[in-house]
């Protein structure tokens, strides 16, 4: 059986010397830029050059794809989504959310190398080379195709333990990338005990590379608005897209189709419509009722033809 490392070499049509050369130069093979965050601030993106990106993608298929991902992890995997994350908590009454600060940057080269050596058929030297290719210098970055896939697999043990802790206290645990949600159908005592236990677990020596973003921790209950990974949980226990988002979509459709505003990206509008329809079947029909079926057909025609 061909080794995973040799499979990468074959897939990318490169030699041992070439992949070592790329690994040594990898941290210089990124274009860095910033994009605005939804809630303010800027997000740094490190986009790898084509040769580096091709190897990172090959690493995903040859080494990472078949490694276990815990069922509580709801991001970056086929069949998992922000909606699934919200649906997992839809029957709960009390919620606690936190996120990890600089999540990808907190996953260091040493974490990646140790994980690959212990969890794959890569030897020590191969694990080191692959780690150099997947990291920009000392850590993972947003923008590399290998980063989200690696993070989920590195977090498998953490997710497993966090799930066991939560379930033992009558709570539900999920992780959507760096966003953790804990909820319970029981009273506040259960969720408070779970929070204390998980914070202790995060602070343990095995997890000391993880840092909680204190500014983004929040308690909530169905007595007030509850938002989980972009969806509001209603009092009748349904995840729905916020009304403000739907107003934005309707305004964009009006500008793009009714007002013939060419600056509106129709592909983006279609994606937003599909996002709403995923949790609220019938939204497209409501748009047809408001704007007429020909408007939605024009959007779909654009998506089919690519014009």
């Amino acid at each position: 059986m061909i080794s995973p490392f040799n499979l990468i070499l074959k897939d990318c049509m490169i030699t041992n010397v070439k992949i070592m050369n790329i690994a040594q130069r990898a941290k210089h093979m990124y274009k860095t830029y910033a994009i605005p965050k939804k809630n303010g601030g800027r997000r740094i993106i490190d986009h790898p050059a084509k040769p580096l990106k091709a190897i990172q993608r090959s690493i995903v298929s040859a080494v990472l794809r078949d490694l276990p991902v815990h069922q509580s992890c709801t991001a970056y995997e086929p069949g998992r989504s922000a909606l699934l994350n919200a649906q997992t908590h839809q029957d709960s009454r009390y919620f606690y959310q936190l996120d990890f600060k600089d999540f990808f940057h907190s996953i260091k080269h040493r974490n990646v190398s140790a994980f690959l050596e212990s969890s794959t058929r890569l030897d020590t030297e191969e694990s080191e080379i692959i780690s150099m290719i997947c990291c920009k210098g000392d850590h993972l970055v947003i923008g590399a195709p290998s980063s989200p896939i690696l993070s989920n697999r590195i977090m498998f043990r953490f997710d497993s333990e966090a799930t066991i802790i939560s379930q033992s206290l009558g709570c539900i645990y999920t992780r959507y990338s760096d966003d953790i949600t804990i909820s319970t159908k029981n009273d506040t005592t259960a969720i408070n005990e779970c929070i204390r236990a998980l914070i202790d677990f995060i602070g343990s020596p095995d997890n000391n590379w993880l840092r909680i973003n204190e500014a983004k921790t929040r308690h909530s209950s169905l007595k007030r608005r509850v938002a989980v990974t972009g969806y509001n949980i209603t009092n009748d226990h349904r995840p729905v897209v916020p009304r403000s988002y739907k107003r934005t979509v309707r305004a964009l459709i009006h500008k793009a189709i009714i007002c013939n505003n060419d600056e509106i990206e129709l592909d983006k509008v279609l994606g937003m419509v599909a996002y709403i329809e995923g949790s609220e079947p019938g939204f497209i029909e409501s748009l047809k009722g408001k704007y007429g079926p020909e408007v939605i057909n024009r959007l779909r025609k654009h998506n089919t033809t690519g014009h």
Side-chain angles (χ1 to χ4, degrees):
M1 180 185 294
I2 186 169
S3 72
F5 191 80
N6 286 333
L7 192 59
I8 294 166
L9 298 181
K10 181 180 179 182
D11 183 46
C12 298
M13 294 184 289
I14 55 177
T15 63
N16 271 296
V17 173
K18 180 67 173 178
I19 198 171
M20 176 58 80
N21 181 262
I22 291 174
Q24 291 172 339
R25 295 187 295 113
K27 65 182 178 181
H28 303 296
M29 298 176 68
Y30 289 86
K31 178 183 178 181
T32 301
Y33 57 93
I35 60 173
K37 291 183 179 180
K38 182 173 64 174
N39 297 321
R42 309 282 284 176
R43 187 183 309 281
I44 302 300
I45 307 295
D46 290 287
H47 191 84
K50 285 184 178 180
L52 180 61
K53 190 174 185 178
I55 299 175
Q56 291 172 342
R57 283 178 168 162
S58 183
I59 290 167
V60 169
S61 60
V63 179
L64 302 176
R65 184 61 72 188
D66 292 333
L67 296 178
V69 176
H70 198 268
Q71 63 183 12
S72 64
C73 168
T74 55
Y76 310 132
E77 304 296 328
R80 309 190 193 191
S81 64
L83 175 58
L84 174 64
N85 191 73
Q87 287 172 332
T88 305
H89 298 276
Q90 67 184 15
D91 293 327
S92 294
R93 297 168 57 209
Y94 298 99
F95 306 80
Y96 180 78
Q97 292 161 286
L98 63 85
D99 77 7
F100 292 124
K101 188 173 183 179
D102 300 325
F103 179 54
F104 281 174
H105 286 197
S106 71
I107 302 177
K108 304 299 184 183
H109 176 280
R110 64 179 181 273
N111 301 120
V112 176
S113 182
F115 169 76
L116 292 174
E117 188 174 356
S118 65
S119 304
T120 72
R121 292 192 292 124
L122 297 171
D123 63 28
T124 302
E125 182 180 4
E126 292 168 344
S127 297
E128 180 67 16
I129 293 170
I130 297 304
S131 298
M132 292 167 70
I133 289 172
C134 291
C135 294
K136 182 185 179 185
D138 189 42
H139 52 73
L140 298 185
V141 293
I142 299 172
S146 48
S147 291
I149 310 301
L150 252 175
S151 68
N152 279 349
R153 283 140 185 85
I154 288 174
M155 290 291 286
F156 177 79
R157 183 196 60 81
F158 178 94
D159 291 333
S160 300
E161 292 295 324
T163 298
I164 291 170
I165 291 170
S166 300
Q167 289 179 346
S168 71
L169 294 168
C171 295
I172 299 167
Y173 162 91
T174 60
R175 181 181 59 81
Y176 186 85
S177 187
D178 59 348
D179 293 325
I180 287 178
T181 303
I182 308 158
S183 70
T184 186
K185 301 175 186 178
N186 301 322
D187 57 21
T188 55
T189 301
I191 202 162
N192 288 334
E193 289 180 358
C194 188
I195 291 165
R196 286 192 292 268
L198 282 178
I199 289 176
D200 286 345
F201 175 57
I202 293 168
S204 67
D206 286 345
N207 302 314
N208 60 10
W209 49 280
L210 293 168
R211 293 285 183 270
I212 296 173
N213 188 343
E214 300 292 348
K216 292 189 176 182
T217 60
R218 60 190 182 276
H219 288 267
S220 54
S221 75
L222 290 182
K223 295 176 182 178
R224 294 185 294 273
R225 186 178 70 89
V226 175
V228 177
T229 49
Y231 291 88
N232 290 342
I233 306 297
T234 65
N235 286 329
D236 59 347
H237 303 287
R238 293 182 299 114
V240 298
V241 175
R243 291 179 183 177
S244 58
Y245 188 92
K246 286 182 277 192
R247 284 196 297 269
T248 298
V249 170
R250 292 188 181 101
L252 288 173
I253 291 174
H254 183 85
K255 290 178 182 178
I257 304 298
I258 308 301
C259 301
N260 293 312
N261 187 334
D262 293 334
E263 295 182 2
I264 304 297
E265 298 179 22
L266 292 181
D267 290 334
K268 180 180 178 181
V269 175
L270 273 170
M272 296 171 77
V273 169
Y275 172 69
I276 298 171
E277 182 77 9
S279 64
E280 299 179 47
F283 181 72
I284 290 177
E285 290 303 314
S286 74
L287 292 177
K288 288 181 180 179
K290 183 176 179 65
Y291 299 108
E294 67 280 359
V295 169
I296 304 305
N297 290 338
R298 283 175 64 188
L299 277 172
R300 285 174 166 167
K301 184 179 179 181
H302 166 86
N303 189 49
T304 302
T305 61
H307 298 306

